[in-house]
């Protein structure tokens, strides 16, 4: 199966925000500090916000 925008949407799992996750305002402060994607190869997975929330 080729991963493209359509298949990503078909297989995306809905996630509800939980109390320990960063709010949008908090993420706006942290996001500039996260490493940028290289822009080549596969799409970065998981999303950096999800990775930071897991920590």
């Amino acid at each position: 199966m080729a991963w493209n925008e359509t298949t990503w949407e078909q297989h995306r799992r809905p996630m509800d925000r939980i109390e320990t996750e960063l709010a949008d305002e908090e993420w706006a402060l942290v996001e500039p500090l996260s490493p940028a994607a290289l822009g080549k190869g596969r799409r970065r997975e998981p999303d950096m916000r999800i990775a930071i929330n897991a920590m």
Side-chain angles (χ1 to χ4, degrees):
M1 169 189 338
W3 287 100
N4 56 39
E5 292 303 318
T6 302
T7 54
W8 279 107
E9 288 302 319
Q10 289 173 344
H11 296 282
R12 187 178 311 276
R13 294 187 178 123
M15 299 174 119
D16 293 336
R17 185 180 179 280
I18 56 175
E19 292 179 15
T20 58
E21 291 181 350
L22 294 174
D24 291 336
E25 297 82 17
E26 295 167 325
W27 176 243
L29 297 173
V30 175
E31 184 177 22
L33 304 174
S34 67
L38 296 177
K40 56 185 173 181
R42 280 182 24 170
R43 182 173 156 171
R44 179 185 288 186
E45 190 65 29
D47 181 358
M48 288 304 294
R49 185 171 183 168
I50 294 170
I52 297 294
N53 282 331
M55 290 189 256

